[in-house]
Amino acid sequence: MRVPLSWLREYADVPTDASPEDVLAALVRVGFEEEDVHRFDLQGPIVVGEVLEFVEEPQSNGKTIRWCQVRVAPDGETAADGGEAVHGIVCGARNFFVGDKVVVTLPGAVLPGPFPIAARKTYGHVSDGMIASARELGLGDEHNGILRLVELGIDAPVGTDAIALLGLDDVAVDINVTPDRGYALSIRGVAREYSHSTGAAFRDPADRPWEELAPGSGFPIAVDDQAPIRGRVGASEFVARVVRDVDPTKPTPAWMIARLSLAGIRSLGILIDITNYVMIELGQPIHGYDLDKLQGGITVRRATAGEKLETLDGKVRTLDLEDLLITDESGPIGLAGVMGGGTTEMSDTTRNVLIEAATFDTVSIARTARRHKLPSEASRRFERGVDPLVPFVAARRVADLMVEYAGGTSDEELGGALFAEVFIPGIALPPTFVQRLIGVEYTPGEIEGALRLIGCDVVGAEDEDGWQVIPPSWRPDLTDKWTLAEEVARIEGYDRIPSHLPLPPSGRGLTALQLGRRRVANALAAAGYVETPSFGFTTEEQNDLHGSASGGHLPSVKLANALDGQSPFLRRTLIPGLLQVAHRNASRGLTDLSLFESGLVFLPQPGVQYGTSFVPPLAVRPDAATLAELDASIPPQHRHVAVLLTGHLVAKQPGVAPVTAELGDALDAVRTIAAAAGVSIEVAQGERAALHPGRTGVLSVAGTEVGYVGELLPAVAAASDLPGRVIVAELDLDLVLSLAGEKVVAASLSGFPAATQDVSLVLGADVAAADVRAALVDGAGDLLESVRLVDDYRGQGVPAGAKSLTFALRFRADDRTLTAAEASEAKLAGVAVAAERFGATIRD
């Protein structure tokens, strides 16, 4: 909300020496956020001048200019720029006459742009300044010619400062008004709040006797709302006044244009400017109709099927059954509280005006404005709540201004009004409630004083029953004792509220699952992977391809209101998101990638219908059965972790060959995850539809499958526009952490040396190396500390259909140094188990 200070001073005693920053500071004290300060972007010398004479001179380009002699200072005095009293000025406009008083920008002045003014040679003359138009001064968009002061009703002495004369020295402060404080979208509301903050006297512009406000009668007005929203009729009050014989071509006063401009409203002609001016002043939106274009009376009703309306912006809108309309006998003539219609708008031919001021239902106006994507200054106020006691004042104020500035005559006989009883229920405010809620020991006098200051009627005292508080009509946000307590805190000052850091209860903190997730993410980041969270939406095809080993169809949850219509399904796997991130980076030249993501996947069960159309009522906690029903409508959600590698792990450098990411690097990432989670992950060869045969591994913990690792098929990688090899791994992180248990105990370290031995076993080529390793572990016993596959040989010296696997074994005891014989005995025990299970023999 932009508030011109000159306007604010009309209704609050703002000191003349108060700066915009002082006013903003005062408003911040009562809960408004400071936004900005707005000024007219110009500086003097800009003065009133009188055209003494001019000569019209045709030019070779077909244009005719006027070489003018303009008096810019009284005879015998020096001009504001230090020059002569009469300046020669070249002007291209032709709408002024000898003797006219105009606005002259002298050398040294700066106009909005910025556009500095200087004496310059043009069209064979030295133009010593410029005669300004309204647009050049920032007084609207009118640029048909020079601004003639006589058209504004101004006859000021030559040399008068035009900046002050036209109100261009005014300044506006800009504050953020939250949706619950719609009353502050007016000069009236802001002036009241300034008074609350500083104690300055406040003069309410809406304080007028009823005798001045009562409209005439005889103009038919009706409200026929057959489908009220939430039981509230669309219009509770409607006031109509008539002003006759207006002259819409009369100029809007310069001070009014200046105030509207600072408030963010552009000038659109005297009639519309007056309605906008009163809206900003009182917070009551006003609409004016060309009375001669109306057919019969006005009826407020809901739209019917198929109705259309051309609004003031020139667009034809198809109406909804919920839309609240202003209609006459011809049909719709306006969207109530949002925008008027084109058929009855005021124009340069308007002579008689019907003024409308009404109170509309907030929900109806808000829905209509959003449905038609048509926010307006009127809807912005109506949807926040307008003072129901102001429409009569606003209609009278508009009529008075049209009589004064548009030359009209108020028709006190013709008019109309629909009245509604304004009943505001009282709110019980228990004793000590405010003190207990805010944490400040307010006295009863402070509480009553704060509530009375904002306009409440307070009955009772701080006894056993407390107070009965009736909020003012302009504060629909005050609905309960909590909002009243907030007002007391706001008026008495937020600086009185003590600041205490809350103490966390003992024994609380991150759960074991949360700690495990953090360890895994930190470990991957420390290993050089970059975390790249992605959206949880994908296609059904991607879910099937990457979410199942076979690539067959799996149930997926489809969103009813997807953000992206091409990806409307909740993901079953993290891989599609990582592929999108990799593609985005590759398209920007970043091809060496090590990425990871930890996030939720959604795993609906076959045959189960998820989702619900049931929405619990607001402000009521659902019971246990309702919560259970809502929980059952949500598919199971597991947290997975996935990695993706492509390109080089080590870039080519002088003396260093590039190192390409391979499957073994993804296995290292899996081991990093396992170490951080506190488990031992086993790898066995497997198959998946999206992964390369022979380069796919199944990951398991203690016999439970937890994920997979492998290289994408070239066709799958190419479909994502990823060059080269792409290696991925994905694990069910929640399952991995649950298999680790709640506590991870570090193994003790032996201080005795290790004994190392190798063994090469010949066995069938179809036997998995992981199974052979498990046999060695089972047979070697507790002395075996680690076993690692170091070679897989198939060739000369090994029978056809067989292979030779070489394992590096490390043995260690906790209580002694092992002998070579003890290590060999343990090794041979492991070989014996491998021979029993797979027919393995030691290779010579």
Side-chain angles (χ1 to χ4, degrees):
M1 173 67 188
R2 295 185 181 184
V3 184
L5 294 192
S6 66
W7 208 346
L8 182 65
R9 287 189 171 97
E10 288 192 9
Y11 305 117
D13 287 344
V14 181
T16 55
D17 60 348
S19 68
E21 290 71 23
D22 294 334
V23 175
L24 283 172
L27 295 174
V28 167
R29 283 197 296 271
V30 285
F32 292 99
E33 293 182 8
E34 173 184 338
E35 291 287 338
D36 203 352
V37 175
H38 299 272
R39 296 178 171 89
F40 286 100
D41 187 19
L42 49 74
Q43 64 185 47
I46 301 177
V47 300
V48 174
E50 181 182 2
V51 180
L52 300 179
E53 63 177 1
F54 59 79
V55 177
E56 293 189 346
E57 299 179 353
Q59 303 298 312
S60 58
N61 59 4
K63 184 177 180 180
T64 298
I65 61 98
R66 287 180 173 181
W67 171 237
C68 309
Q69 299 300 311
V70 184
R71 183 180 300 281
V72 295
D75 191 20
E77 296 185 12
T78 301
D81 65 337
E84 300 292 333
V86 177
H87 282 37
I89 298 174
V90 173
C91 184
R94 305 179 67 182
N95 68 315
F96 59 94
F97 307 94
V98 172
D100 275 348
K101 289 187 176 178
V102 294
V103 176
V104 180
T105 59
L106 298 175
V110 179
L111 295 180
F115 180 63
I117 303 299
R120 64 191 182 94
K121 186 172 183 179
T122 179
Y123 294 109
H125 300 282
V126 175
S127 184
D128 200 15
M130 186 180 79
I131 306 175
S133 68
R135 187 169 72 176
E136 288 164 342
L137 294 170
L139 279 175
D141 295 330
E142 182 63 39
H143 196 55
N144 292 329
I146 293 306
L147 178 63
R148 301 171 65 225
L149 294 182
V150 67
E151 295 179 346
L152 300 179
I154 296 175
D155 185 15
V158 170
T160 302
D161 181 4
I163 293 180
L165 180 69
L166 299 176
L168 300 178
D169 57 347
D170 202 358
V171 59
V173 296
D174 195 355
I175 57 175
N176 179 33
V177 178
T178 54
D180 60 326
R181 301 175 71 179
Y183 67 93
L185 292 174
S186 66
I187 303 298
R188 178 196 185 204
V190 176
R192 181 183 282 111
E193 289 297 328
Y194 181 84
S195 171
H196 296 344
S197 175
T198 63
F202 168 66
R203 296 171 291 279
D204 190 351
D207 186 13
R208 297 184 65 169
W210 173 251
E211 293 75 18
E212 298 179 5
L213 306 180
S217 59
F219 187 84
I221 300 173
V223 175
D224 183 20
D225 189 355
Q226 300 296 322
I229 298 176
R230 298 181 183 176
R232 294 199 293 262
V233 176
S236 55
E237 289 185 324
F238 199 103
V239 185
R241 303 190 73 97
V242 173
V243 178
R244 298 188 180 277
D245 299 323
V246 297
D247 182 358
T249 63
K250 280 185 172 292
T252 302
W255 60 266
M256 183 180 289
I257 295 177
R259 287 182 175 181
L260 288 174
S261 178
L262 283 175
I265 306 292
R266 64 189 181 97
S267 176
L268 296 172
I270 182 63
L271 300 181
I272 298 176
D273 287 350
I274 287 173
T275 60
N276 285 333
Y277 185 85
V278 174
M279 176 183 67
I280 299 296
E281 184 175 71
L282 298 176
Q284 170 69 53
I286 302 288
H287 188 68
Y289 301 90
D290 188 325
L291 180 63
D292 299 323
K293 296 178 182 178
L294 285 172
Q295 300 182 25
I298 285 180
T299 300
V300 183
R301 62 170 174 82
R302 301 285 171 181
T304 59
E307 276 192 303
K308 296 182 182 297
L309 169 67
E310 182 180 353
T311 47
L312 288 174
D313 57 2
K315 295 183 180 180
V316 177
R317 302 180 184 275
T318 301
L319 304 176
D320 186 89
L321 296 179
E322 273 194 356
D323 288 338
L324 191 67
L325 303 180
I326 308 297
T327 67
D328 64 3
E329 292 179 0
S330 67
I333 58 174
L335 279 172
V338 179
M339 186 174 284
T343 58
T344 58
E345 70 174 314
M346 297 183 294
S347 66
D348 290 344
T349 62
T350 298
R351 290 295 174 265
N352 302 305
V353 177
L354 179 77
I355 302 166
E356 167 210 304
T359 300
F360 296 117
D361 174 51
T362 57
V363 176
S364 290
I365 303 308
R367 288 187 178 181
T368 296
R370 285 158 178 73
R371 183 181 301 116
H372 294 285
K373 296 181 176 59
L374 193 59
S376 64
E377 290 292 333
S379 66
R380 184 184 177 204
R381 287 163 174 78
F382 276 126
E383 64 190 25
R384 287 163 171 78
V386 171
D387 186 352
L389 301 183
V390 167
F392 291 90
V393 179
R396 181 70 200 200
R397 175 72 165 147
V398 170
D400 291 345
L401 291 175
M402 286 188 177
V403 169
E404 182 175 0
Y405 295 107
T409 302
S410 180
D411 189 336
E412 300 298 332
E413 301 298 326
L414 183 63
L418 291 177
F419 299 88
E421 180 182 1
V422 179
F423 173 73
I424 303 174
I427 301 171
L429 184 61
T432 73
F433 174 78
V434 176
Q435 295 91 328
R436 288 186 289 107
L437 180 66
I438 306 301
V440 177
E441 289 301 321
Y442 298 113
T443 66
E446 288 175 329
I447 295 175
E448 286 191 39
L451 295 176
R452 293 186 190 279
L453 184 65
I454 64 173
C456 295
D457 289 334
V458 184
V459 180
E462 192 187 29
D463 52 20
E464 294 182 357
D465 297 327
W467 296 277
Q468 191 73 12
V469 181
I470 301 176
S473 59
W474 59 85
R475 293 299 300 272
D477 57 307
L478 301 182
T479 56
D480 50 41
K481 57 186 179 182
W482 288 275
T483 53
L484 293 178
E486 290 175 357
E487 286 299 291
V488 173
R490 184 175 70 88
I491 296 299
E492 289 299 321
Y494 293 128
D495 56 331
R496 292 184 60 181
I497 302 175
S499 177
H500 298 293
L501 289 175
L503 297 176
S506 60
R508 299 267 182 112
L510 297 177
T511 65
L513 196 60
Q514 291 171 330
L515 288 171
R517 293 170 180 169
R518 289 196 177 187
R519 285 198 308 271
V520 169
N522 290 338
L524 286 171
Y529 288 82
V530 177
E531 186 173 11
T532 57
S534 59
F535 287 113
F537 315 116
T538 186
T539 64
E540 193 172 26
E541 293 76 12
Q542 289 291 312
N543 269 341
D544 292 343
L545 177 62
H546 297 285
S548 67
S550 64
H553 177 67
L554 291 173
S556 297
V557 177
K558 185 177 183 180
L559 298 176
N561 57 340
L563 294 176
D564 183 355
Q566 295 181 344
S567 301
F569 290 89
L570 293 176
R571 65 186 179 187
R572 293 185 62 98
T573 168
L574 302 178
I575 300 302
L578 287 176
L579 290 175
Q580 288 182 357
V581 173
H583 166 68
R584 189 176 301 113
N585 280 271
S587 67
R588 288 156 176 78
L590 303 175
T591 56
D592 299 334
L593 302 171
S594 299
L595 311 176
F596 86 94
E597 179 178 4
S598 175
L600 292 176
V601 298
F602 305 86
L603 307 175
Q605 301 301 313
V608 179
Q609 184 67 34
Y610 295 97
T612 178
S613 58
F614 169 70
V615 178
L618 299 175
V620 178
R621 177 178 173 81
D623 55 27
T626 302
L627 290 174
E629 180 183 351
L630 292 174
D631 287 340
S633 68
I634 302 173
Q637 302 175 41
H638 294 196
R639 183 170 294 274
H640 282 199
V641 61
V643 300
L644 180 146
L645 297 116
T646 186
H648 295 134
L649 290 182
V650 178
K652 183 178 180 181
Q653 305 171 51
V656 179
V659 178
T660 302
E662 296 184 349
L663 184 59
D665 300 303
L667 286 171
D668 285 341
V670 170
R671 296 186 187 101
T672 299
I673 295 171
V679 298
S680 177
I681 291 184
E682 299 171 354
V683 184
Q685 193 168 21
E687 293 183 359
R688 291 187 73 87
L691 302 184
H692 199 294
R695 300 179 188 173
T696 302
V698 176
L699 309 176
S700 58
V701 174
T704 301
E705 184 176 332
V706 296
Y708 63 90
V709 62
E711 181 182 329
L712 285 183
L713 286 169
V716 175
S720 297
D721 293 327
L722 294 176
R725 303 169 67 179
V726 180
I727 300 98
V728 297
E730 183 170 13
L731 296 87
D732 187 330
L733 184 56
D734 286 343
L735 178 57
V736 170
L737 294 172
S738 66
L739 293 173
E742 293 188 0
K743 293 184 179 179
V744 177
V745 180
S748 60
L749 298 177
S750 173
F752 295 93
T756 58
Q757 295 193 16
D758 292 346
V759 63
S760 296
L761 300 178
V762 178
L763 55 139
D766 59 342
V767 178
D771 294 337
V772 180
R773 179 185 180 279
L776 291 173
V777 171
D778 292 341
D782 294 337
L783 293 179
L784 181 62
E785 185 178 76
S786 72
V787 55
R788 180 166 52 89
L789 178 67
V790 296
D791 188 37
D792 182 340
Y793 175 73
R794 310 176 195 210
Q796 187 176 359
V798 176
K803 62 183 177 182
S804 171
L805 300 179
T806 301
F807 293 90
L809 311 175
R810 185 169 67 234
F811 301 92
R812 196 191 310 266
D814 294 333
D815 56 351
R816 66 190 188 280
T817 300
L818 290 178
T819 65
E822 288 177 310
S824 297
E825 182 181 353
K827 178 186 71 173
L828 293 175
V831 172
V833 174
E836 179 183 349
R837 294 181 183 177
F838 310 112
T841 60
I842 296 178
R843 181 183 174 191
D844 296 333

PDB file of all heavy atoms in Angstrom, residues 473-491:
ATOM      1  N   SER A 473     -16.235  -2.340  13.184  1.00  0.00           N
ATOM      2  CA  SER A 473     -16.769  -2.885  11.929  1.00  0.00           C
ATOM      3  C   SER A 473     -15.681  -3.084  10.878  1.00  0.00           C
ATOM      4  O   SER A 473     -15.833  -3.901   9.969  1.00  0.00           O
ATOM      5  CB  SER A 473     -17.854  -1.947  11.377  1.00  0.00           C
ATOM      6  OG  SER A 473     -17.311  -0.645  11.151  1.00  0.00           O
ATOM      7  N   TRP A 474     -14.582  -2.326  10.971  1.00  0.00           N
ATOM      8  CA  TRP A 474     -13.526  -2.435   9.952  1.00  0.00           C
ATOM      9  C   TRP A 474     -12.488  -3.507  10.267  1.00  0.00           C
ATOM     10  O   TRP A 474     -11.509  -3.628   9.564  1.00  0.00           O
ATOM     11  CB  TRP A 474     -12.827  -1.082   9.777  1.00  0.00           C
ATOM     12  CG  TRP A 474     -12.198  -0.547  11.036  1.00  0.00           C
ATOM     13  CD1 TRP A 474     -10.957  -0.833  11.528  1.00  0.00           C
ATOM     14  CD2 TRP A 474     -12.776   0.360  11.961  1.00  0.00           C
ATOM     15  NE1 TRP A 474     -10.729  -0.172  12.701  1.00  0.00           N
ATOM     16  CE2 TRP A 474     -11.831   0.587  12.989  1.00  0.00           C
ATOM     17  CE3 TRP A 474     -14.016   1.028  12.022  1.00  0.00           C
ATOM     18  CZ2 TRP A 474     -12.082   1.425  14.064  1.00  0.00           C
ATOM     19  CZ3 TRP A 474     -14.256   1.868  13.087  1.00  0.00           C
ATOM     20  CH2 TRP A 474     -13.303   2.059  14.095  1.00  0.00           C
ATOM     21  N   ARG A 475     -12.702  -4.304  11.327  1.00  0.00           N
ATOM     22  CA  ARG A 475     -11.736  -5.327  11.701  1.00  0.00           C
ATOM     23  C   ARG A 475     -12.375  -6.722  11.698  1.00  0.00           C
ATOM     24  O   ARG A 475     -12.581  -7.349  12.746  1.00  0.00           O
ATOM     25  CB  ARG A 475     -11.148  -5.034  13.077  1.00  0.00           C
ATOM     26  CG  ARG A 475     -10.275  -3.804  13.177  1.00  0.00           C
ATOM     27  CD  ARG A 475      -9.052  -3.893  12.276  1.00  0.00           C
ATOM     28  NE  ARG A 475      -8.213  -5.027  12.588  1.00  0.00           N
ATOM     29  CZ  ARG A 475      -7.230  -5.013  13.487  1.00  0.00           C
ATOM     30  NH1 ARG A 475      -6.972  -3.899  14.168  1.00  0.00           N
ATOM     31  NH2 ARG A 475      -6.503  -6.076  13.695  1.00  0.00           N
ATOM     32  N   PRO A 476     -12.698  -7.272  10.512  1.00  0.00           N
ATOM     33  CA  PRO A 476     -13.280  -8.630  10.468  1.00  0.00           C
ATOM     34  C   PRO A 476     -12.302  -9.707  10.897  1.00  0.00           C
ATOM     35  O   PRO A 476     -12.689 -10.856  11.098  1.00  0.00           O
ATOM     36  CB  PRO A 476     -13.670  -8.792   8.988  1.00  0.00           C
ATOM     37  CG  PRO A 476     -12.750  -7.876   8.253  1.00  0.00           C
ATOM     38  CD  PRO A 476     -12.553  -6.693   9.165  1.00  0.00           C
ATOM     39  N   ASP A 477     -11.006  -9.360  11.028  1.00  0.00           N
ATOM     40  CA  ASP A 477     -10.017 -10.348  11.431  1.00  0.00           C
ATOM     41  C   ASP A 477     -10.039 -10.624  12.927  1.00  0.00           C
ATOM     42  O   ASP A 477      -9.451 -11.613  13.380  1.00  0.00           O
ATOM     43  CB  ASP A 477      -8.614  -9.886  11.030  1.00  0.00           C
ATOM     44  CG  ASP A 477      -8.270  -8.531  11.635  1.00  0.00           C
ATOM     45  OD1 ASP A 477      -9.059  -7.584  11.447  1.00  0.00           O
ATOM     46  OD2 ASP A 477      -7.209  -8.424  12.293  1.00  0.00           O
ATOM     47  N   LEU A 478     -10.697  -9.793  13.713  1.00  0.00           N
ATOM     48  CA  LEU A 478     -10.767 -10.002  15.168  1.00  0.00           C
ATOM     49  C   LEU A 478     -11.949 -10.915  15.463  1.00  0.00           C
ATOM     50  O   LEU A 478     -13.113 -10.482  15.503  1.00  0.00           O
ATOM     51  CB  LEU A 478     -10.912  -8.666  15.893  1.00  0.00           C
ATOM     52  CG  LEU A 478      -9.780  -7.654  15.663  1.00  0.00           C
ATOM     53  CD1 LEU A 478     -10.009  -6.401  16.472  1.00  0.00           C
ATOM     54  CD2 LEU A 478      -8.430  -8.277  16.003  1.00  0.00           C
ATOM     55  N   THR A 479     -11.661 -12.191  15.647  1.00  0.00           N
ATOM     56  CA  THR A 479     -12.727 -13.196  15.758  1.00  0.00           C
ATOM     57  C   THR A 479     -12.711 -13.979  17.054  1.00  0.00           C
ATOM     58  O   THR A 479     -13.672 -14.687  17.345  1.00  0.00           O
ATOM     59  CB  THR A 479     -12.619 -14.196  14.597  1.00  0.00           C
ATOM     60  OG1 THR A 479     -11.307 -14.784  14.604  1.00  0.00           O
ATOM     61  CG2 THR A 479     -12.838 -13.497  13.253  1.00  0.00           C
ATOM     62  N   ASP A 480     -11.633 -13.907  17.836  1.00  0.00           N
ATOM     63  CA  ASP A 480     -11.553 -14.702  19.056  1.00  0.00           C
ATOM     64  C   ASP A 480     -10.581 -14.044  20.030  1.00  0.00           C
ATOM     65  O   ASP A 480      -9.993 -12.997  19.738  1.00  0.00           O
ATOM     66  CB  ASP A 480     -11.117 -16.144  18.750  1.00  0.00           C
ATOM     67  CG  ASP A 480      -9.882 -16.195  17.865  1.00  0.00           C
ATOM     68  OD1 ASP A 480      -8.965 -15.384  18.079  1.00  0.00           O
ATOM     69  OD2 ASP A 480      -9.833 -17.041  16.942  1.00  0.00           O
ATOM     70  N   LYS A 481     -10.420 -14.663  21.188  1.00  0.00           N
ATOM     71  CA  LYS A 481      -9.587 -14.073  22.237  1.00  0.00           C
ATOM     72  C   LYS A 481      -8.108 -14.063  21.845  1.00  0.00           C
ATOM     73  O   LYS A 481      -7.342 -13.213  22.306  1.00  0.00           O
ATOM     74  CB  LYS A 481      -9.788 -14.814  23.555  1.00  0.00           C
ATOM     75  CG  LYS A 481      -9.503 -16.315  23.482  1.00  0.00           C
ATOM     76  CD  LYS A 481      -9.860 -17.010  24.780  1.00  0.00           C
ATOM     77  CE  LYS A 481      -9.610 -18.510  24.694  1.00  0.00           C
ATOM     78  NZ  LYS A 481     -10.010 -19.216  25.943  1.00  0.00           N
ATOM     79  N   TRP A 482      -7.698 -14.985  20.985  1.00  0.00           N
ATOM     80  CA  TRP A 482      -6.295 -15.014  20.569  1.00  0.00           C
ATOM     81  C   TRP A 482      -5.959 -13.800  19.702  1.00  0.00           C
ATOM     82  O   TRP A 482      -4.911 -13.191  19.867  1.00  0.00           O
ATOM     83  CB  TRP A 482      -6.000 -16.309  19.826  1.00  0.00           C
ATOM     84  CG  TRP A 482      -5.960 -17.499  20.742  1.00  0.00           C
ATOM     85  CD1 TRP A 482      -4.911 -17.949  21.478  1.00  0.00           C
ATOM     86  CD2 TRP A 482      -7.065 -18.375  21.030  1.00  0.00           C
ATOM     87  NE1 TRP A 482      -5.281 -19.064  22.208  1.00  0.00           N
ATOM     88  CE2 TRP A 482      -6.590 -19.352  21.949  1.00  0.00           C
ATOM     89  CE3 TRP A 482      -8.389 -18.436  20.603  1.00  0.00           C
ATOM     90  CZ2 TRP A 482      -7.405 -20.367  22.440  1.00  0.00           C
ATOM     91  CZ3 TRP A 482      -9.199 -19.439  21.092  1.00  0.00           C
ATOM     92  CH2 TRP A 482      -8.711 -20.398  22.009  1.00  0.00           C
ATOM     93  N   THR A 483      -6.854 -13.459  18.771  1.00  0.00           N
ATOM     94  CA  THR A 483      -6.590 -12.288  17.933  1.00  0.00           C
ATOM     95  C   THR A 483      -6.646 -11.007  18.751  1.00  0.00           C
ATOM     96  O   THR A 483      -5.916 -10.053  18.462  1.00  0.00           O
ATOM     97  CB  THR A 483      -7.591 -12.220  16.773  1.00  0.00           C
ATOM     98  OG1 THR A 483      -8.936 -12.305  17.295  1.00  0.00           O
ATOM     99  CG2 THR A 483      -7.381 -13.373  15.811  1.00  0.00           C
ATOM    100  N   LEU A 484      -7.490 -10.969  19.780  1.00  0.00           N
ATOM    101  CA  LEU A 484      -7.505  -9.793  20.652  1.00  0.00           C
ATOM    102  C   LEU A 484      -6.182  -9.670  21.410  1.00  0.00           C
ATOM    103  O   LEU A 484      -5.637  -8.575  21.570  1.00  0.00           O
ATOM    104  CB  LEU A 484      -8.667  -9.883  21.637  1.00  0.00           C
ATOM    105  CG  LEU A 484     -10.080  -9.790  21.044  1.00  0.00           C
ATOM    106  CD1 LEU A 484     -11.120  -9.945  22.144  1.00  0.00           C
ATOM    107  CD2 LEU A 484     -10.281  -8.477  20.309  1.00  0.00           C
ATOM    108  N   ALA A 485      -5.674 -10.803  21.892  1.00  0.00           N
ATOM    109  CA  ALA A 485      -4.395 -10.778  22.606  1.00  0.00           C
ATOM    110  C   ALA A 485      -3.273 -10.298  21.689  1.00  0.00           C
ATOM    111  O   ALA A 485      -2.381  -9.549  22.114  1.00  0.00           O
ATOM    112  CB  ALA A 485      -4.080 -12.166  23.159  1.00  0.00           C
ATOM    113  N   GLU A 486      -3.297 -10.711  20.419  1.00  0.00           N
ATOM    114  CA  GLU A 486      -2.284 -10.256  19.472  1.00  0.00           C
ATOM    115  C   GLU A 486      -2.351  -8.740  19.283  1.00  0.00           C
ATOM    116  O   GLU A 486      -1.311  -8.068  19.148  1.00  0.00           O
ATOM    117  CB  GLU A 486      -2.478 -10.950  18.125  1.00  0.00           C
ATOM    118  CG  GLU A 486      -2.142 -12.434  18.152  1.00  0.00           C
ATOM    119  CD  GLU A 486      -2.475 -13.111  16.835  1.00  0.00           C
ATOM    120  OE1 GLU A 486      -3.009 -12.426  15.939  1.00  0.00           O
ATOM    121  OE2 GLU A 486      -2.209 -14.321  16.711  1.00  0.00           O
ATOM    122  N   GLU A 487      -3.560  -8.192  19.279  1.00  0.00           N
ATOM    123  CA  GLU A 487      -3.699  -6.747  19.136  1.00  0.00           C
ATOM    124  C   GLU A 487      -3.128  -6.003  20.339  1.00  0.00           C
ATOM    125  O   GLU A 487      -2.504  -4.951  20.196  1.00  0.00           O
ATOM    126  CB  GLU A 487      -5.176  -6.377  18.932  1.00  0.00           C
ATOM    127  CG  GLU A 487      -5.700  -6.709  17.552  1.00  0.00           C
ATOM    128  CD  GLU A 487      -4.943  -5.953  16.473  1.00  0.00           C
ATOM    129  OE1 GLU A 487      -5.076  -4.723  16.387  1.00  0.00           O
ATOM    130  OE2 GLU A 487      -4.199  -6.598  15.716  1.00  0.00           O
ATOM    131  N   VAL A 488      -3.361  -6.533  21.543  1.00  0.00           N
ATOM    132  CA  VAL A 488      -2.791  -5.905  22.733  1.00  0.00           C
ATOM    133  C   VAL A 488      -1.266  -5.897  22.632  1.00  0.00           C
ATOM    134  O   VAL A 488      -0.607  -4.883  22.892  1.00  0.00           O
ATOM    135  CB  VAL A 488      -3.253  -6.638  24.005  1.00  0.00           C
ATOM    136  CG1 VAL A 488      -2.522  -6.090  25.237  1.00  0.00           C
ATOM    137  CG2 VAL A 488      -4.755  -6.505  24.181  1.00  0.00           C
ATOM    138  N   ALA A 489      -0.686  -7.033  22.225  1.00  0.00           N
ATOM    139  CA  ALA A 489       0.773  -7.104  22.087  1.00  0.00           C
ATOM    140  C   ALA A 489       1.269  -6.135  21.026  1.00  0.00           C
ATOM    141  O   ALA A 489       2.314  -5.487  21.190  1.00  0.00           O
ATOM    142  CB  ALA A 489       1.182  -8.532  21.731  1.00  0.00           C
ATOM    143  N   ARG A 490       0.534  -5.984  19.932  1.00  0.00           N
ATOM    144  CA  ARG A 490       0.950  -5.096  18.850  1.00  0.00           C
ATOM    145  C   ARG A 490       0.906  -3.639  19.291  1.00  0.00           C
ATOM    146  O   ARG A 490       1.843  -2.867  19.045  1.00  0.00           O
ATOM    147  CB  ARG A 490       0.045  -5.311  17.637  1.00  0.00           C
ATOM    148  CG  ARG A 490       0.417  -4.516  16.412  1.00  0.00           C
ATOM    149  CD  ARG A 490      -0.459  -4.896  15.232  1.00  0.00           C
ATOM    150  NE  ARG A 490      -1.827  -4.450  15.383  1.00  0.00           N
ATOM    151  CZ  ARG A 490      -2.274  -3.245  14.992  1.00  0.00           C
ATOM    152  NH1 ARG A 490      -1.440  -2.384  14.443  1.00  0.00           N
ATOM    153  NH2 ARG A 490      -3.539  -2.916  15.140  1.00  0.00           N
ATOM    154  N   ILE A 491      -0.175  -3.248  19.942  1.00  0.00           N
ATOM    155  CA  ILE A 491      -0.323  -1.847  20.332  1.00  0.00           C
ATOM    156  C   ILE A 491       0.626  -1.487  21.471  1.00  0.00           C
ATOM    157  O   ILE A 491       1.230  -0.403  21.480  1.00  0.00           O
ATOM    158  CB  ILE A 491      -1.783  -1.561  20.735  1.00  0.00           C
ATOM    159  CG1 ILE A 491      -2.711  -1.746  19.520  1.00  0.00           C
ATOM    160  CG2 ILE A 491      -1.923  -0.173  21.315  1.00  0.00           C
ATOM    161  CD1 ILE A 491      -2.406  -0.829  18.361  1.00  0.00           C
TER     162      ILE A 491
END
